[in-house]
Amino acid sequence: MLKSVEYLAFKWKLLSRAKCFQTNLSARLVNQSAVPVSEHLNSLDTTYSIWKDKILYSSFIEKKNIKLGYKQNKILESKMKKLEKDAIRETSAVKPFSLALKQLHNEPIIEQHEPFIDDVKSPPIHQLPYQQHGLRIQSSTREPEEKLATGEWMSDYEYFDEDENNVTSFYGTPDQNEPASQIPCGGCGALLHCIEPSIPGYLPSQLFKGKSKEQLLTTICQRCHFLKNYNVAINVTVSADDYIGMLTSIKAKKALAVLLVDLLDFPCSIWPGLSDILGVHRPIIVVGNKVDLLPQDCPGYLENVRQSLTRSVIESGFSRNNIKHVSLISASTGYGVEEMITKIHNVWGTRGDVYLVGCTNVGKSTLFNALLRSDLCKVQATDLIQKATASPWPGTTLRMLKFPILRPSDYRLFLRTKRLQQERYIQRANQKLQREQKKAPNEATLLGHIGRTFEKEKEETFDHFSMAQRSGAPTPIFTLNEKNEKYVNSKWCYDTPGVVQPDQILDLLTTEEIVLTVPKETIRPRAYLLKKGTTLFLGGLGRLDFVDGPASIRVILYASQALPTMICETSEASALYTAFVGTELLGVPFGSQDRLDKFPPLECVPDILVQGTAEKHISVCDILLSSAGWIAINLPKHCEATFHAWSPKKKGVYIRQPALLPNGLALRGKRVRGSLAYRTGTTFKAR
């Protein structure tokens, strides 16, 4: 009886504290919504009051103005009222305690405000996941390291239940809304997170969320676990020297190279001199990934993208005769993957191995996952690849992910073609869904379907009615034996490691900064009116100076929506950058003063001359600012303009002509009254 009374008293204490917490939270939100824009900015950076007259436009200030408008305040007030009603309802459901019952607890029950989690912060760790060379390749003379204590999940990694419909991660799913931890991986030193599988330090969200600090301290990331336990490399980013050495070993082999290129970051995602490394006569299939993230500026925009990608690959040193096909796909949504597989079957067959090559963050592993469950992989091997990769990479003991390729006989190709014809209704359904999604531009995207023509024959490998299986014991793991007669003469598809291209800025950014910089949804173009002598900042990662030309021009920015923009006079640009770098006005980079001191300053690439075209509303060219994004230039007929482009260490400044999306100006929104900016554009052009 006494224990029951103590439990009720303790429950009453928790409810009281919960009510106090909700009240304080409501007060905090209301106070934040009532703060004027200028006071809010002054609290973030005291220098704003000094420099505010020099800022011609700031997307951050514009966003705050919208958020703190009359409509938004009304929404906040209604939310606060709902929170208060919910708190009152919960507390009223508990019957009041008598005074004697309250005194049963030894210590007095006093309502007090518990500190917010955000109020108690440990010193931040600013770790650059791509700055390191990545996991070192294991040599044959290296003694095996003692395995780290990884907890129950890591010891049962191979039994982890994977979602078959998910192709973004080998095990589990990512969660972009979950912030990264401040705990480094014990294997590679990257901060543990569940945001993006392509970023070092990744753990699936099912295994990251809800873990305490002590649990994470004894956990290593996904790729370290596979490398340490199975000598298998997943999403490994190697050094430039190791990367060149690995690909050089392909030079003497009869193999097809599938070159993956990030359509949001090319030519920066094409390794320089790759044609010489792979061989002058190497047949390649160019695959432009992330096409679903590009806005649709005109009905034939995909053909414009394909031609622009082909020109960029040829300019990087590849011969047009060696390019067997150019595919535009989305490895995450499945768009275009089936057509790419058909082209591989028709062009290459099983004359040799297939290698997926490309820089980091281009989507090689995501595509590998998609191909593993497609008609390119042998049916019997689909369920065995998660652990078995027994063939070592030439010249090292590091084993790469790979799967055996299905031999495309004439009959199999006939059955595959028949299946694709029968599944055309899925494409029609996707097109109908696209038309419905275009009513809400944020949701419009390119969708696809990846199926299997041949199914695995059922094999009874264990007794489903055994006590071990009924009790929930782990099922047996079957590995792929390459000496088996089914695979001894097979050709293989390899997933090679990635490397940071010298023109990319990913190695300069922390995990949180990479998440803000790399787009994860369809880009919505932002248009601006630049006057001569003004500068456009793209966060703190790049800037474009309009030095000379017409009185004003229109430019379109293609970048992540999380990166803020700012326009000012060119004469004040350097001083403004120094004053606001690290603040929300420029967004990235951010962090402590030590972190900002280590970030390289912006350096100038001068005298970029652009000439206008005869066609109206057509973008003349793109000025690329490395991995941050690009700016399309619109010039009147027979006009010339001079620009200065700035990026960290002059990385990745390119002129792409003609523009990737020449009709992008048609996607712009209406001009904001009294501003140099247009409203954020749509992701498609209305037919």
Side-chain angles (χ1 to χ4, degrees):
M1 179 64 183
L2 182 60
K3 290 184 178 180
S4 300
V5 173
E6 290 180 351
Y7 170 75
L8 291 175
F10 180 68
K11 184 177 180 181
W12 177 84
K13 177 182 178 180
L14 290 180
L15 288 174
S16 301
R17 289 185 175 181
K19 180 181 178 182
C20 181
F21 177 82
Q22 288 179 346
T23 304
N24 284 292
L25 179 60
S26 302
R28 168 180 283 195
L29 292 175
V30 171
N31 290 335
Q32 284 183 353
S33 63
V35 176
V37 177
S38 59
E39 293 181 13
H40 181 75
L41 292 175
N42 286 331
S43 64
L44 296 176
D45 192 351
T46 56
T47 59
Y48 173 72
S49 58
I50 302 174
W51 294 98
K52 61 182 181 180
D53 295 334
K54 305 294 184 181
I55 300 176
L56 302 179
Y57 171 81
S58 172
S59 62
F60 175 76
I61 298 175
E62 187 74 18
K63 185 177 180 181
K64 289 298 177 183
N65 279 326
I66 296 175
K67 281 190 173 182
L68 299 179
Y70 175 81
K71 183 178 179 180
Q72 293 294 330
N73 278 332
K74 288 296 181 183
I75 295 175
L76 286 175
E77 289 177 5
S78 62
K79 289 183 178 179
M80 293 307 103
K81 290 180 180 179
K82 185 177 183 302
L83 284 175
E84 292 175 1
K85 289 181 180 180
D86 293 341
I88 294 173
R89 189 184 304 110
E90 291 179 3
T91 54
S92 61
V94 181
K95 296 182 179 180
F97 291 90
S98 63
L99 181 62
L101 184 58
K102 294 180 183 180
Q103 292 177 349
L104 284 175
H105 202 276
N106 294 331
E107 60 180 2
I109 301 175
I110 303 176
E111 294 186 5
Q112 58 182 2
H113 165 64
E114 294 291 338
F116 290 92
I117 298 176
D118 294 339
D119 296 338
V120 183
K121 293 184 178 180
S122 57
I125 301 175
H126 301 288
Q127 186 262 347
L128 310 180
Y130 288 117
Q131 188 180 48
Q132 302 174 354
H133 292 318
L135 297 177
R136 277 298 179 188
I137 299 176
Q138 296 180 351
S139 61
S140 57
T141 59
R142 181 178 178 181
E143 297 181 359
E145 297 181 357
E146 182 180 357
K147 293 183 179 180
L148 300 177
T150 57
E152 295 181 358
W153 169 77
M154 278 296 184
S155 62
D156 295 333
Y157 202 124
E158 53 269 30
Y159 303 115
F160 185 75
D161 186 17
E162 180 186 7
D163 184 5
E164 293 294 333
N165 296 324
N166 176 58
V167 296
T168 59
S169 174
F170 283 92
Y171 297 91
T173 54
D175 186 356
Q176 299 178 10
N177 298 322
E178 186 72 15
S181 71
Q182 297 295 313
I183 301 174
C185 168
C188 62
L191 297 183
L192 296 175
H193 65 90
C194 65
I195 300 173
E196 172 59 39
S198 62
I199 302 177
Y202 169 77
L203 279 174
S205 60
Q206 293 87 343
L207 312 169
F208 177 82
K209 298 167 66 174
K211 293 295 187 296
S212 63
K213 181 178 179 181
E214 290 73 17
Q215 290 174 316
L216 290 178
L217 285 173
T218 59
T219 303
I220 56 178
C221 68
Q222 176 178 263
R223 67 173 188 171
C224 287
H225 175 78
F226 271 85
L227 186 59
K228 288 178 179 293
N229 291 277
Y230 305 121
N231 202 24
V232 174
I234 288 183
N235 263 337
V236 177
T237 304
V238 300
S239 66
D241 295 336
D242 294 333
Y243 183 74
I244 295 175
M246 286 180 177
L247 296 186
T248 302
S249 61
I250 309 176
K251 199 169 187 178
K253 300 182 65 175
K254 186 177 182 179
L256 173 70
V258 177
L259 174 61
L260 264 76
V261 180
D262 185 354
L263 292 177
L264 307 182
D265 191 19
F266 77 93
C268 294
S269 57
I270 304 176
W271 184 260
L274 184 60
S275 60
D276 297 331
I277 298 173
L278 295 176
V280 179
H281 303 290
R282 174 71 53 198
I284 67 169
I285 290 181
V286 180
V287 177
N289 193 21
K290 305 182 184 180
V291 68
D292 58 313
L293 302 183
L294 289 176
Q296 306 174 23
D297 65 329
C298 65
Y301 81 105
L302 288 179
E303 185 60 30
N304 294 334
V305 173
R306 182 178 286 106
Q307 293 178 5
S308 180
L309 176 61
T310 304
R311 281 191 297 267
S312 183
V313 171
I314 293 175
E315 290 173 359
S316 65
F318 287 94
S319 171
R320 185 181 294 272
N321 295 330
N322 293 342
I323 301 177
K324 303 304 179 182
H325 183 65
V326 178
S327 296
L328 302 180
I329 70 165
S330 172
S332 60
T333 66
Y335 177 83
V337 177
E338 287 281 21
E339 290 77 4
M340 184 198 71
I341 295 172
T342 301
K343 186 58 66 172
I344 293 177
H345 281 157
N346 295 335
V347 170
W348 189 249
T350 54
R351 283 182 280 177
D353 295 332
V354 177
Y355 290 86
L356 305 180
V357 298
C359 297
T360 188
N361 201 43
V362 297
K364 294 191 304 298
S365 295
T366 305
L367 179 60
F368 182 88
N369 272 347
L371 296 178
L372 185 60
R373 294 171 176 82
S374 71
D375 287 340
L376 192 65
C377 177
K378 283 192 174 181
V379 180
Q380 301 86 350
T382 300
D383 299 331
L384 307 179
I385 301 301
Q386 63 179 19
K387 179 183 174 183
T389 52
S391 178
W393 186 269
T396 70
T397 59
L398 179 67
R399 298 172 185 174
M400 306 307 301
L401 289 172
K402 68 175 185 176
F403 62 78
I405 299 175
L406 180 69
R407 186 176 67 86
S409 63
D410 293 340
Y411 181 67
R412 286 173 175 169
L413 291 179
F414 167 75
L415 294 179
R416 171 176 165 79
T417 303
K418 186 177 180 180
R419 176 184 65 85
L420 293 177
Q421 291 176 349
Q422 292 175 351
E423 291 181 350
R424 285 182 178 176
Y425 74 93
I426 298 180
Q427 298 179 2
R428 290 195 294 267
N430 288 338
Q431 293 174 359
K432 181 179 179 181
L433 178 60
Q434 280 184 302
R435 288 193 294 269
E436 295 177 354
Q437 287 177 334
K438 286 180 179 181
K439 299 177 183 178
N442 288 337
E443 303 296 333
T445 186
L446 295 176
L447 303 176
H449 174 73
I450 305 174
R452 296 295 299 265
T453 305
F454 313 101
E455 299 294 336
K456 182 179 179 181
E457 297 180 0
K458 296 182 179 179
E459 298 179 1
E460 294 295 334
T461 54
F462 58 91
D463 186 4
H464 292 275
F465 299 95
S466 65
M467 292 300 297
Q469 297 302 322
R470 292 169 61 186
S471 61
T475 58
I477 298 177
F478 304 98
T479 59
L480 187 149
N481 181 13
E482 295 185 26
K483 296 182 180 180
N484 188 293
E485 59 180 4
K486 296 180 181 179
Y487 311 111
V488 66
N489 295 321
S490 296
K491 304 302 179 182
W492 300 83
C493 178
Y494 289 88
D495 178 18
T496 65
V499 64
V500 177
Q501 211 255 32
D503 282 332
Q504 292 179 313
I505 60 173
L506 297 177
D507 58 332
L508 305 176
L509 304 178
T510 64
T511 302
E512 294 84 355
E513 293 167 352
I514 291 174
V515 173
L516 296 177
T517 304
V518 178
K520 296 301 179 185
E521 57 184 16
T522 306
I523 295 177
R524 301 184 65 184
R526 290 176 276 178
Y528 301 97
L529 185 68
L530 280 188
K531 297 182 179 180
K532 186 167 60 175
T534 59
T535 293
L536 171 64
F537 278 99
L538 176 55
L541 302 178
R543 79 182 231 203
L544 182 68
D545 300 343
F546 181 21
V547 179
D548 193 15
S552 63
I553 61 172
R554 287 181 291 194
V555 299
I556 307 105
L557 172 64
Y558 300 90
S560 171
Q561 201 67 26
L563 287 178
T565 58
M566 186 170 66
I567 301 177
C568 65
E569 298 288 343
T570 304
S571 58
E572 306 287 348
S574 298
L576 278 172
Y577 180 83
T578 303
F580 289 106
V581 65
T583 67
E584 290 187 271
L585 269 78
L586 292 179
V588 179
F590 60 88
S592 63
Q593 189 59 42
D594 179 64
R595 157 69 184 140
L596 298 177
D597 292 340
K598 293 180 179 179
F599 190 80
L602 301 182
E603 299 182 19
C604 178
V605 177
D607 300 333
I608 299 176
L609 182 63
V610 178
Q611 295 182 347
T613 60
E615 299 183 39
K616 190 177 181 181
H617 303 308
I618 298 297
S619 298
V620 180
C621 67
D622 296 331
I623 298 180
L624 281 74
L625 300 177
S626 190
S627 306
W630 70 93
I631 301 173
I633 308 298
N634 284 75
L635 278 178
K637 183 179 179 180
H638 304 312
C639 288
E640 292 184 350
T642 304
F643 299 90
H644 292 173
W646 301 65
S647 67
K649 299 181 179 180
K650 299 183 181 180
K651 283 192 171 188
V653 176
Y654 287 95
I655 308 301
R656 186 165 54 201
Q657 192 170 12
L660 181 65
L661 301 171
N663 300 284
L665 196 62
L667 302 177
R668 72 186 187 279
K670 293 183 179 180
R671 175 81 178 275
V672 179
R673 182 178 299 178
S675 174
L676 297 177
Y678 293 80
R679 298 191 184 279
T680 303
T682 61
T683 59
F684 67 97
K685 181 179 179 181
R687 301 294 196 275

